[in-house]
Amino acid sequence: MRTSNRVRVGLLASFTALAAVASIGSATAATTLNGNWAPFSRCPVDDPAMLAVDGATDTAICVSSHSASGSIKLGNTEVPVGASDLQVGVINHPGGTSTVISPKGGALIADSAKVPGGLLGLMCPNDVPVITGLCNTLTDAGLNRVTATIESVNNPTGFQLLAGTTTGKPILTLPVRIHLENPLLGDKCYIGSASDPILLKPQNLTQPAVGSQKFAGDGTSDTAGPLNRLSLLGATQTDTTYAVPGTNGCGLLGSLNWAVNLKTGLPSASGDNHVTLDDAQTYVATMNKPRDTAPDAGKLLSQYWHSAVR
């Protein structure tokens, strides 16, 4: 009864938080969890596919990776990356294959970052008279300011747990787009799209510090607990393999797409771009003995997660 009450309170808190952060679009976006569950605030434990995991054939894990800062180079332009939070559920299948499950708000949530030079840096100088005239009007700081936000599109694929423990191997493929926001660019200006995303394949450039911790269902550390948390801390992550498509939706009816593309060198082929994520803090949570909980391993993982809601 006590666990049930805590679950009800936690769900109520989650829906209240949702109203305050509706742009994230996930009922678990602001959930606060106890102890070792804390990094997994958006793990999609209630997704039907996660709940259906039996523990004998398939196993389910929660993955969380947070970076406080970084940068991404797109063609000729390098943009700072705000704090980013990547969370997914992963279902491991026999034979080493896996299915990645995103939370409702998307696998990646990132803070916006200011583009150096603003719109002047993205489009100016330019020899085309119309654009030159526009550039000459950008004396107002508000009109010149451009923010960039990395957003998830579609589901990540190809998660490899062992790659996260070493260097030089892609950990997963993460499809994203870059949202550029400025009054003159409009609110639908993107680099990449759901149909033509930027495919990031981050890998560790430096070796993370590896540790593990057994814990109880409610997140409390317990050497005899049914759950285990793997910690992969402090690595710098990078990718230089992705291609970058051109912009879309910039300006009225896309009228400024070509101007942004021309100045920033987009589209840009693989090898001409790079991303760096600093001090990545990655955690993986899973059942210690999933076979012992078959056929209800997924349901039990969800129950444990909800019991940790604060």
Side-chain angles (χ1 to χ4, degrees), residues 45 50-55 60 287 293 295-303:
V45 293
M50 292 281 283
L51 290 172
V53 168
D54 60 6
M287 306 285 288
T293 62
D296 297 318
K299 295 182 180 67
L300 187 57
L301 185 70
S302 176
Q303 290 172 18

Side-chain angles (χ1 to χ4, degrees), residues 23 72 74 81 105 108 110-111 147-154 174-180 187-200 242-249:
S23 62
I72 185 168
L74 310 167
V81 173
L108 182 71
D111 290 344
T147 60
T149 309
I150 300 179
E151 298 178 353
S152 285
V153 291
N154 310 325
L174 178 65
V176 301
R177 63 184 180 182
I178 312 295
H179 191 185
L180 300 176
D187 60 0
K188 296 180 180 179
C189 179
Y190 292 94
I191 301 172
S193 63
S195 60
D196 190 14
I198 301 167
L199 296 176
L200 300 180
Y242 61 93
V244 182
T247 58
N248 61 89

Side-chain angles (χ1 to χ4, degrees), residues 65-93:
S65 186
H66 179 84
S67 174
S69 62
S71 63
I72 185 168
K73 182 177 180 291
L74 310 167
N76 300 328
T77 301
E78 187 161 346
V79 178
V81 173
S84 60
D85 179 68
L86 172 70
Q87 295 197 41
V88 294
V90 178
I91 301 172
N92 291 318
H93 309 296

Side-chain angles (χ1 to χ4, degrees), residues 119 140-146 180-187 251 256:
L119 200 58
D140 179 85
L143 287 179
N144 186 50
R145 177 182 172 87
V146 178
L180 300 176
E181 296 179 272
N182 167 273
L184 297 178
L185 293 178
D187 60 0
L256 296 179

Side-chain angles (χ1 to χ4, degrees), residues 55 59 214 225-228 286-294 297 300:
T59 58
K214 288 185 178 180
L227 295 155
N228 188 72
T286 187
M287 306 285 288
N288 282 325
K289 299 178 179 179
R291 286 185 175 274
D292 290 352
T293 62
L300 187 57

Side-chain angles (χ1 to χ4, degrees), residues 109-128:
I109 292 178
D111 290 344
S112 298
K114 184 178 179 181
V115 176
L119 200 58
L120 287 169
L122 284 179
M123 296 199 313
C124 311
N126 199 305
D127 294 333
V128 179

Side-chain angles (χ1 to χ4, degrees), residues 266-292:
L266 300 180
S268 180
S270 172
D272 294 332
N273 316 288
H274 68 254
V275 64
T276 301
L277 299 174
D278 303 321
D279 191 26
Q281 307 288 308
T282 303
Y283 299 92
V284 178
T286 187
M287 306 285 288
N288 282 325
K289 299 178 179 179
R291 286 185 175 274
D292 290 352

